[in-house]
Structure formats: structure tokens, C-alpha cells
Amino acid sequence: MADEYEGPWLVVGLGNPGEQYARNRHNIGFMVVDLLAQRMGARFKAHKSRAQVAEGRLAGRRVVLAKPMSFMNLSGGPVTALRDFYKAPASALVAVHDELDIDYATLRLKLGGGDNGHNGLKSITKSLGPDYHRVRCGIGRPPGRMEVADFVLKDFSATERKELEWFVDRSADAVEALLSEGLERAQGTYNS
């Protein structure tokens, strides 16, 4: 059980590496862990797991923040390498990711479940099984007939950007609540 686990929690923001993807909807996980690193006063450094990591304390717990430097659909490799390096159980893993089936700026926290077509989650689940925490950051559905891949790889719209800083901040707060209060209490506060 994660509550009895003494080692660090792994908080993995999902996204794609590279400046051209930095502000895409698919990269909200990176945005959230970047803010958490700022809150910890930590800097990301290259790690042998093929991820950027920042270590410190959040909400009274040892935490390793990570950004896999593989593309989204290959996230499972770096996440598994991190899990093995830090000897963390899957129950001490939090994946922060974009979610199409939730309205923009809406959050949902959960433990386990399916991947809902998300290639980053699909890759992690294939490597580790489904029993890890998720902070699902709603980005909504693509408009009209736009392909999902085109939608997630576009930057947030001008209208969305007006709320983006608040949304990233609230998502980071939700991660901290999950770490300090546990899943049920964090769900009660942040699941809308």
C-alpha cells in the first residue's frame, strides 16, 4: 500500500519532448510538473531512465517529478525505468495527463482503470499494469471533424489560454492534495 511506502512518490507528467510541442494540449502533464518543480525549488536534470527528473519534498512526502523524454506513445519505457530505479510500487505513481473526454479545465483523480485511448497511458499500463494514480486534466473534444491527433498536438486556443495558468495551478494543487490527503479526500475536493 502506498501509505506504508517509505520511498519517493513518482509524479510523471506526460507530454512530448521538444520546443515545438511545449504548449500543446497533449503537454499539460509537463506544464503541471514544471509548476510543481518550481514549488519545490527543484530543477529538472537528465536521468538514465530517459526522463528529466527533479527531486524534493511536496506535501510532506519525498517526490520525484519526471518528464519522459520519449514521445508520448513510448512513455512506458522511461516510467518503468524510473519505477525500477526508485523501487517504487505502481500505487506510488501518479500520471498527470490530458483527457479528451472531460471538459476543458475540469479535473478527475482516480486509481487504476483503462487508458481511454490515451497512448501515454496505454504504454505505461502495458509496462506496469493499470494500478497507478491518474490526475486527468480535461482538454475537451476536438471541434467539428478535426482529428484527435491534430487537436491534441495543437496549442491551447486563445480562449483556453485565459484559464490555462489557473488550470495548471489547480492541477498542481490536486497532485499535492493526493500526496498529502489521499485519493478519496483529494477526489472530494478536485473532482468536478
Side-chain angles (χ1 to χ4, degrees):
M1 185 79 187
D3 289 335
E4 296 146 13
Y5 169 65
E6 298 289 325
W9 276 63
L10 303 178
V11 178
V12 179
L14 297 184
N16 285 311
E19 187 55 35
Q20 71 270 37
Y21 300 107
R23 286 163 288 289
N24 289 178
R25 290 178 180 95
H26 225 14
N27 275 41
I28 194 161
F30 277 16
M31 296 173 198
V32 173
V33 295
D34 283 341
L35 178 57
L36 288 168
Q38 274 182 0
R39 291 179 180 184
M40 285 189 334
R43 292 214 156 136
F44 282 96
K45 298 179 177 131
H47 189 268
K48 67 182 183 176
S49 62
R50 296 186 337 269
Q52 295 278 325
V53 301
E55 297 186 46
R57 294 190 77 78
L58 268 178
R61 291 192 183 264
R62 283 179 50 216
V63 175
V64 175
L65 304 174
K67 298 188 289 186
M69 291 291 104
S70 62
F71 284 97
M72 180 73 80
N73 61 335
L74 300 173
S75 299
V79 173
T80 300
L82 284 165
R83 189 266 331 250
D84 293 348
F85 182 83
Y86 290 100
K87 297 175 178 43
S91 59
L93 168 66
V94 181
V96 183
H97 63 90
D98 59 302
E99 180 63 58
L100 285 165
D101 288 333
I102 301 174
D103 290 339
Y104 178 68
T106 301
L107 287 171
R108 296 272 195 292
L109 285 72
K110 72 176 195 170
L111 173 64
D115 57 54
N116 209 18
H118 192 288
N119 288 330
L121 295 179
K122 196 176 293 184
S123 179
I124 293 169
T125 298
K126 184 177 178 187
S127 297
L128 299 177
D131 297 327
Y132 54 92
H133 292 86
R134 296 107 191 270
V135 174
R136 304 161 69 208
C137 304
I139 61 169
R141 300 292 303 173
R145 297 177 189 250
M146 182 185 284
E147 291 291 325
V148 167
D150 293 336
F151 180 69
V152 299
L153 294 176
K154 283 199 179 318
D155 289 357
F156 288 97
S157 71
T159 303
E160 290 168 334
R161 283 194 301 272
K162 290 176 185 170
E163 282 188 89
L164 185 59
E165 186 176 335
W166 171 85
F167 184 33
V168 169
D169 192 61
R170 183 165 168 80
S171 301
D173 290 347
V175 171
E176 290 199 56
L178 174 62
L179 297 174
S180 64
E181 301 170 14
L183 180 62
E184 284 187 30
R185 288 190 66 192
Q187 285 174 321
T189 303
Y190 291 95
N191 282 13
S192 37

